[in-house]
């Protein structure tokens, strides 16, 4: 039982990332009809927003420390972050320690701007082109963004730690009546799951209960009629592209303590996220979320030692096997809509 609970937690953790990225992908496809293969790159860009913000907080200047000496006996110099001068050493150190959560405030406007610029500068020219053309151009854009990040940040992963308050693990076993230490799980992975749940709920609430969201949903159902009513639906869809980019970026921001950012992390999630979207049903937001968590849990159980002893390497292909089974039995996916990508 403790192994099962642990794998469910692992599945929710992985599923959170899959669901967030797939949600953004589905927002773009549902509103604009664009198959965006650059969406994984947006996840990566969000992670590097956290890296950039952390580095900005640590910009420092050199001062002489009379209490220390170098090997020649001269007063040593030390690097002191400007935050220490502005906020005091204690407050400055706290802000730097919480760099990852605080970088959300930096990432949201940056990612929205990147999304809007991407849509207005490139994607809008491919609305009426075949999906194959959209895949090729967005995949090319993803490679360009990946190489830009590699040029400025290097090829090696960049450790970006979680706040010290979330270092360590939570003892689920003790809480559930098991032996102490039987089910322990990292605090930050739990934070990531709850963060993903909040973002997903916020997106659904935005689409369901705001005037902007209701107009967008109407535009997704019948774009021409909404346009005839005098509503500039194109402008709203552009903003939805920016919001989808922000969702992917926030997923990347909070994932940095789990997986150190590197230039190819977007590609690592891209294919899996498209599988999630297809399994959930193209254009279905609830389907994307459901499939994300479902496939995350399936992958977690397939990674158990007991399973790998019987079926070596099954954890690498189990998501694709599930996708095959789902599409053979439900060609539109779990919650797909009739007519989406069936022309």
């Amino acid at each position: 039982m403790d192994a099962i609970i642990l794998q469910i937690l692992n599945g929710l953790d992985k599923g959170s990332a899959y669901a967030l990225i797939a949600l953004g992908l589905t927002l773009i496809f549902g509103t604009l009809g664009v198959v965006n293969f650059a969406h994984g790159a947006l996840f990566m860009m969000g992670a590097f927003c956290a890296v950039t913000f952390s580095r900005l907080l640590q910009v420092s200047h050199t001062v002489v420390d009379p209490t220390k000496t170098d090997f020649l006996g001269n007063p040593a110099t030390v690097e002191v972050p400007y935050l220490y001068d502005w906020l005091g050493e204690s407050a400055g150190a706290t802000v730097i320690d919480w760099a990852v959560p605080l970088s959300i405030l930096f990432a949201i406007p940056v990612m929205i701007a990147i999304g809007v610029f991407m849509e207005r500068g490139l994607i809008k020219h491919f609305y009426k082109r075949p999906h194959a053309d959209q895949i090729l151009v967005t995949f090319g854009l993803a490679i360009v963004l990946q190489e830009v990040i590699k040029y400025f940040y290097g090829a090696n992963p960049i450790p970006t730690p979680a706040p010290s308050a979330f270092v360590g693990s939570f003892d689920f076993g003790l809480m559930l009546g098991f032996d102490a230490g039987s089910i322990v799980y990292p605090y930050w992975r739990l934070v990531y799951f709850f963060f993903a749940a909040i973002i997903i709920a916020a997106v659904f609430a935005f689409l369901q209960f705001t005037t902007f969201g209701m107009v967008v949903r109407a535009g997704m159902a019948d774009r021409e009629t909404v346009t005839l009513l005098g509503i500039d639906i194109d402008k709203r869809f552009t903003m939805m592209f920016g919001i989808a980019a922000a969702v992917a970026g926030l997923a990347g921001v909070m994932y940095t303590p789990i997986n150190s950012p590197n230039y190819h992390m977007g590609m690592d999630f891209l294919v899996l996220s498209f599988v999630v979207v297809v399994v959930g049903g193209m254009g279905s937001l609830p389907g994307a979320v459901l499939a994300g968590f479902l496939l995350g849990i399936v992958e977690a159980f397939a990674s158990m030692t007991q399973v790998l002893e019987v079926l070596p390497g099954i954890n690498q292909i189990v998501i694709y096997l599930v996708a095959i089974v789902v599409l053979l039995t439900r060609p539109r996916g779990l919650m797909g809509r009739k007519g989406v990508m069936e022309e």
Side-chain angles (χ1 to χ4, degrees):
M1 181 59 68
D2 57 344
I4 291 174
I5 294 174
L6 185 60
Q7 294 310 317
I8 291 175
L9 292 172
N10 283 330
L12 293 175
D13 168 38
K14 293 181 179 180
S16 298
Y18 296 159
L20 280 178
I21 301 174
L23 181 64
L25 273 169
T26 306
L27 277 174
I28 292 173
F29 182 81
T31 54
L32 303 174
V34 174
V35 182
N36 180 24
F37 257 64
H39 204 71
L42 295 175
F43 175 78
M44 173 199 64
M45 297 290 284
F48 278 92
C49 280
V51 172
T52 302
F53 187 74
S54 179
R55 289 184 174 181
L56 289 174
L57 291 181
Q58 297 180 57
V59 172
S60 59
H61 60 100
T62 304
V63 298
V64 176
D65 186 350
T67 65
K68 299 179 181 179
T69 58
D70 58 21
F71 68 98
L72 295 176
N74 299 317
T77 58
V78 294
E79 295 294 323
V80 177
Y82 284 105
L83 276 181
Y84 287 12
D85 297 335
W86 301 334
L87 304 177
E89 183 173 350
S90 178
T94 300
V95 171
I96 292 174
D97 184 43
W98 285 77
V100 170
L102 290 175
S103 61
I104 291 174
L105 303 176
F106 173 74
I108 289 175
V110 170
M111 293 308 303
I112 289 177
I114 290 174
V116 170
F117 181 78
M118 183 187 298
E119 192 273 339
R120 288 290 85 190
L122 180 66
I123 303 298
K124 72 173 185 178
H125 302 292
F126 289 84
Y127 287 158
K128 297 182 180 180
R129 301 280 288 272
H131 290 307
D133 291 356
Q134 298 170 358
I135 291 172
L136 287 173
V137 72
T138 53
F139 187 74
L141 178 61
I143 294 175
V144 170
L145 293 174
Q146 177 176 287
E147 292 303 312
V148 169
I149 291 295
K150 183 180 179 182
Y151 176 79
F152 284 104
Y153 292 90
N156 296 323
I158 303 173
T160 311
S164 56
F166 295 102
V167 173
S169 300
F170 180 73
D171 196 333
F172 271 99
L174 200 60
M175 185 181 72
L176 298 175
F178 293 93
D179 293 335
S182 59
I183 308 174
V184 293
Y185 208 71
Y187 284 119
W188 189 257
R189 290 180 179 269
L190 295 173
V191 169
Y192 191 81
F193 168 70
F194 287 113
F195 174 80
I198 291 171
I199 294 297
I200 291 169
V203 170
F204 278 95
F206 174 74
L207 291 174
Q208 191 69 31
F209 300 116
T210 67
T211 303
F212 188 100
M214 287 188 282
V215 171
V216 167
R217 286 190 290 113
M220 291 168 67
D222 192 341
R223 181 170 185 158
E224 291 184 0
T225 300
V226 173
T227 302
L228 290 174
L229 292 174
I231 298 173
D232 189 352
I233 194 65
D234 289 338
K235 183 180 294 185
R236 293 174 186 260
F237 281 176
T238 298
M239 287 306 302
M240 286 307 301
F241 198 105
I243 291 171
V247 170
L250 292 180
V253 166
M254 296 296 281
Y255 205 74
T256 52
I258 298 174
N259 184 16
S260 297
N262 56 76
Y263 73 97
H264 58 77
M265 68 185 301
M267 291 296 184
D268 295 341
F269 277 90
L270 176 64
V271 176
L272 291 174
S273 299
F274 265 97
V275 173
V276 170
V277 170
V278 172
V279 170
M282 293 296 290
S284 172
L285 296 177
V289 175
L290 173 64
F293 285 109
L294 173 64
L295 293 179
I297 292 173
V298 169
E299 185 181 9
F301 276 99
S303 301
M304 294 178 67
T305 304
Q306 297 89 332
V307 176
L308 293 176
E309 288 176 351
V310 179
L311 298 170
I314 187 65
N315 59 317
Q316 303 294 324
I317 62 171
V318 67
I319 285 182
Y320 306 103
L321 294 178
V322 172
I324 291 171
V325 172
V326 169
L327 293 179
L328 284 175
T329 55
R330 297 182 63 86
R332 296 191 182 106
L334 295 175
M335 302 180 72
R337 295 176 296 159
K338 183 178 179 180
V340 178
M341 291 195 80
E342 293 181 350
E343 64 275 3

